[in-house]
Amino acid sequence: AQSVTQLGSHVSVSEGALVLLRCNYSSSVPPYLFWYVQYPNQGLQLLLKYTSAATLVKGINGFEAEFKKSETSFHLTKPSAHMSDAAEYFCAVSGDNQGGKLIFGQGTELSVKP
Amino acid sequence: ETGVTQTPRHLVMGMTNKKSLKCEQHLGHNAMYWYKQSAKKPLELMFVYNFKEQTENNSVPSRFSPECPNSSHLFLHLHTLQPEDSALYLCASSQVGTIGTEAFFGQGTRLTVV
């Protein structure tokens, strides 16, 4: 069985500050892990993914995430927040290589203050 | 058209109506998915189709009836829905069998049941 927990349903940062969105997972098999972003009234867009290659994964828009097996974590970071980063972020886990059978976390809404 | 397209973007229907949601993927993928996104709840996987065959139904009520006539098209037929079925319905596709594959999502259909 698999599950995902995102700590914090809402995170607020100032423009230029570090963004840290937390994700912990549970999986009985080696996981595939994903971060997606959703802008208002839009679908989900892939930010980055971990598929058992490098543990530090770089994605689009300056985001990156580090897979830490010992902590069962896959936290998302960005060194400097931009106003355009305001959106909802979802962490997801998959136990196979289908790509679309995903277990999602509850989501974290990121607000960026000027 | 590129990516995954869903129509209509918005739908309001009465509880006795019958309507259909349409999804088309232009990515040459071999798997398609329906997800439900309700307020305050994680995204829920509803149905999975691999090579046009339904491979997963996550205990979805029979008032939701999927159809996948070919690998590029996916429908969700709706009838006698309840107000709690109001949600954003997202379609996704992926290429099963490709290492590190990911899901591509459409923009969703916002359904309101009155």
Side-chain angles (χ1 to χ4, degrees):
Chain A
Q2 297 167 306
S3 65
V4 174
T5 301
Q6 291 183 240
L7 297 176
S9 59
H10 188 261
V11 171
S12 182
V13 301
S14 297
E15 192 173 20
L18 171 71
V19 175
L20 171 60
L21 304 183
R22 300 178 187 273
C23 173
N24 288 89
Y25 70 91
S26 171
S27 179
S28 55
V29 297
Y32 298 92
L33 293 159
F34 306 82
W35 275 100
Y36 283 88
V37 61
Q38 185 178 35
Y39 298 100
N41 301 313
Q42 299 294 318
L44 276 68
Q45 179 184 9
L46 182 72
L47 278 176
L48 48 81
K49 61 183 178 182
Y50 168 75
T51 56
S52 76
T55 56
L56 182 61
V57 181
K58 294 187 184 299
I60 62 172
N61 302 338
F63 285 94
E64 64 180 38
E66 186 171 9
F67 172 71
K68 292 187 176 180
K69 184 178 179 180
S70 61
E71 298 177 8
T72 60
S73 69
F74 190 56
H75 302 331
L76 181 71
T77 60
K78 182 174 180 178
S80 177
H82 192 272
M83 296 297 290
S84 60
D85 294 326
E88 186 142 26
Y89 292 80
F90 294 93
C91 181
V93 65
S94 174
D96 61 31
N97 200 28
Q98 288 199 39
K101 286 179 58 179
L102 299 166
I103 304 297
F104 282 90
Q106 306 93 311
T108 297
E109 184 177 357
L110 176 66
S111 300
V112 182
K113 298 174 292 187
Chain B
E1 293 280 11
T2 59
V4 180
T5 56
Q6 292 186 241
T7 54
R9 292 292 311 276
H10 300 272
L11 178 63
V12 179
M13 60 184 289
M15 290 189 284
T16 59
N17 291 160
K18 290 184 179 181
K19 296 287 185 183
S20 295
L21 310 185
K22 179 183 176 182
C23 176
E24 182 174 4
Q25 60 98 357
H26 310 270
L27 300 168
H29 289 165
N30 54 22
M32 297 187 76
Y33 312 83
W34 279 116
Y35 280 86
K36 177 182 179 183
Q37 185 178 26
S38 305
K40 309 297 184 185
K41 292 178 68 175
L43 283 90
E44 304 168 71
L45 178 62
M46 301 173 71
F47 300 104
V48 179
Y49 277 83
N50 285 341
F51 298 96
K52 304 186 301 178
E53 299 298 320
Q54 187 181 124
T55 57
E56 193 152 332
N57 174 341
N58 282 332
S59 304
V60 180
S62 59
R63 57 185 183 269
F64 294 90
S65 175
E67 179 190 2
C68 189
N70 54 61
S71 293
S72 298
H73 294 85
L74 184 64
F75 295 89
L76 189 62
H77 304 299
L78 316 171
H79 64 96
T80 59
L81 295 190
Q82 304 299 311
E84 60 264 29
D85 296 322
S86 298
L88 182 67
Y89 288 85
L90 292 164
C91 173
S93 70
S94 71
Q95 183 63 19
V96 173
T98 299
I99 294 178
T101 189
E102 70 222 42
F104 290 78
F105 285 82
Q107 293 188 306
T109 295
R110 173 70 64 186
L111 174 67
T112 303
V113 181
V114 297

